[in-house]
Amino acid sequence: MSALTWIAAGSLVVWLWLLLGQGFFWRTDVRLPRTPPGEHGNPPDGQGNPPDQDGNPPDGHGPAPGEEPGGWPSVAIVVPARDEAAVLPASLPSLLAQDYPGPAEVFLIDDGSSDGTGKLARELADTYGGLPLTVGSPGEPEPGWTGKLWAVRHGIALAKSAHKSEFLLLTDADIAHEPDSLRELVRAARAHGLDLVSQMARLRVTTGWERLIVPAFVYFFAQLYPFRWVNRRRGRRAAAAGGCVLLRRGAAERAGVPEVIRQAIIDDVALARAVKRSGGAIWLGLADRVDSVRPYPGLGELWRMVSRSAYAQLRHNPLLLVAAVVGLAGVYLAPPVALCAGALTGRPALLVAGAAAWALMAVTYVPMLRYYRQTLWLAPLLPLTALLYLLMTVDSALRHWRGQGAAWKGRTYARPSAAP
């Protein structure tokens, strides 16, 4: 057999393994665990671990002494925001309008905005009412901190000085929540004994470029961090989606966050790792009622979104970059090349291997396209999308080598001096 035939056959083997052996990453049925109203401490944790003899979740997070089993804990909602005036009218009112039975307060942290984000937030609160809103400003980040985590730190400190909340909801300024979002997050955390509950918000998919790139962004993320593996209590894999993270304050303090992850570019994954490393139980899944309202109308905006953190995902390691490029080319690009070459040269083994690998690739992409309510004709275009991601990853590394690092909203972050 030719070298290309061997590569196509290897790609087919890889796709068979991805289909069955990578935590069923391609399935989209990992959603927020639902619990009937009024049940807050009795169900099993979803991984086969039963409640303890008192009916509390397996890790001991039952109602506190003297607390009514049906009581709702206090929640501080922390929203880091930098130059978010364009999206705030579509997101902040949804937080203020949360239908939550317990005490809750919103802390929006204006991280050095130049577009009147803080002023607009106050105006929206005056217009819409709802949950109380506090707008804070932490000033420029201290050395060694990313801007977002510096803002999160300030928000947590403000919330702590205001009242001792049991939970923190860390949510981005471009995330809109349905009215029952907070209630369901807290209910799931308490019923299943979870220290961190994160939902990957449904990103906007309107333009042609968004249709081509956005569903694949979530697909690739799930391939790296299969949700079922993340949600195993004794597993080592950890990840979260930074747009929507409900976190127990006690778990945050045990893990030392945000201080311990203060330099992290991919802060959501670093947060989940810190919580799980400290013994916390985490859960990650796709969202049904949490949406990103940020538009990425053109290729340039999407390119910057991916490339700013792609090389950080590879730990700024040139060898991992080479491995990623070779892997993407061999797994995603080789099958269509093999199919075309086999058809043109009359080599049936090459054609069949390429076609089978390409078909498996498309099949695994279909559930994500359905989740995003997109035409299934996009599934065979996944190799093209993978090629774009390959180029974005290489561009991310080039930017780092040029000293530009991870750039976002006027700030540039170099490689962290130490791993979080």
Side-chain angles (χ1 to χ4, degrees):
M1 290 195 298
S2 67
L4 184 55
T5 304
W6 280 109
I7 293 172
S11 179
L12 176 58
V13 170
V14 170
W15 277 109
L16 286 169
W17 177 76
L18 288 172
L19 179 70
L20 302 173
Q22 185 68 0
F24 296 102
F25 77 95
W26 45 271
R27 291 178 55 173
T28 56
D29 56 348
V30 181
R31 308 292 178 89
L32 191 69
R34 293 276 178 167
T35 306
E39 293 185 16
H40 293 272
N42 297 329
D45 67 353
Q47 300 293 332
N49 300 316
D52 64 21
Q53 61 183 357
D54 297 321
N56 293 324
D59 64 343
H61 289 307
E67 177 186 355
E68 290 296 325
W72 291 87
S74 60
V75 181
I77 303 172
V78 178
V79 186
R82 179 174 171 84
D83 292 334
E84 299 286 13
V87 297
L88 216 55
S91 60
L92 183 58
S94 73
L95 286 174
L96 300 174
Q98 284 301 296
D99 179 19
Y100 183 67
E105 185 172 353
V106 180
F107 296 87
L108 185 137
I109 309 304
D110 184 2
D111 179 22
S113 299
S114 59
D115 64 352
T117 290
K119 180 175 180 290
L120 176 59
R122 295 185 183 93
E123 292 172 353
L124 290 170
D126 290 339
T127 300
Y128 289 95
L131 297 181
L133 171 72
T134 298
V135 176
S137 180
E140 281 299 303
E142 291 182 356
W145 284 82
T146 66
K148 178 180 178 180
L149 290 171
W150 180 249
V152 167
R153 176 182 181 273
H154 186 71
I156 293 175
L158 275 181
K160 189 173 183 179
S161 64
H163 55 79
K164 184 70 172 179
S165 55
E166 183 178 337
F167 284 97
L168 302 165
L169 175 61
L170 310 179
T171 184
D172 289 345
D174 65 328
I175 302 298
H177 295 252
E178 291 295 325
D180 63 348
S181 174
L182 180 58
R183 182 203 304 241
E184 293 303 321
L185 285 165
V186 171
R187 177 177 287 152
R190 301 190 74 207
H192 297 272
L194 298 166
D195 294 289
L196 182 152
V197 181
S198 180
Q199 294 188 93
M200 179 161 282
R202 201 189 305 256
L203 306 176
R204 198 189 88 140
V205 178
T206 302
T207 68
W209 285 114
E210 287 172 338
R211 292 187 178 97
L212 184 65
I213 292 176
V214 166
F217 179 82
V218 183
Y219 172 89
F220 291 140
F221 183 91
Q223 193 176 88
L224 284 173
Y225 304 101
F227 297 162
R228 284 174 172 78
W229 289 1
V230 168
N231 298 343
R232 290 175 180 171
R233 302 212 174 207
R234 295 177 179 84
R236 299 180 63 182
R237 196 68 60 98
C244 177
V245 177
L246 183 76
L247 178 64
R248 287 182 187 270
R249 180 186 288 276
E253 293 172 351
R254 285 196 305 272
V257 297
E259 286 78 8
V260 74
I261 61 169
R262 60 188 177 276
Q263 299 184 75
I265 303 299
I266 308 176
D267 52 87
D268 44 12
V269 174
L271 169 63
R273 285 174 177 164
V275 171
K276 200 165 194 178
R277 193 164 50 235
S278 66
I282 69 175
W283 183 92
L284 169 65
L286 294 173
D288 289 312
R289 298 164 66 75
V290 178
D291 301 282
S292 172
V293 298
R294 188 182 304 283
Y296 293 98
L299 178 59
E301 293 89 347
L302 288 161
W303 192 287
R304 285 188 290 274
M305 178 193 74
V306 175
S307 65
R308 70 186 177 96
S309 60
Y311 196 45
Q313 180 68 56
L314 299 175
R315 304 173 192 169
H316 303 93
N317 187 321
L319 294 179
L320 289 180
L321 173 66
V322 172
V325 169
V326 172
L328 283 170
V331 174
Y332 287 94
L333 305 186
V337 170
L339 184 150
C340 294
L344 292 173
T345 60
R347 288 184 282 175
L350 182 60
L351 186 151
V352 169
W358 196 357
L360 282 176
M361 182 194 318
V363 165
T364 64
Y365 194 35
V366 164
M368 190 61 68
L369 290 174
R370 285 179 173 161
Y371 171 74
Y372 272 97
R373 307 181 186 98
Q374 297 302 304
T375 173
L376 301 188
W377 287 108
L378 288 169
L381 297 182
L382 188 57
L384 173 60
T385 306
L387 174 61
L388 290 173
Y389 274 87
L390 185 156
L391 296 175
M392 294 173 191
T393 302
V394 172
D395 180 59
S396 178
L398 291 174
R399 289 175 181 272
H400 172 78
W401 293 335
R402 291 170 186 156
Q404 296 173 330
W408 187 248
K409 293 193 175 181
R411 290 190 180 127
T412 300
Y413 302 104
R415 177 181 179 176
S417 57

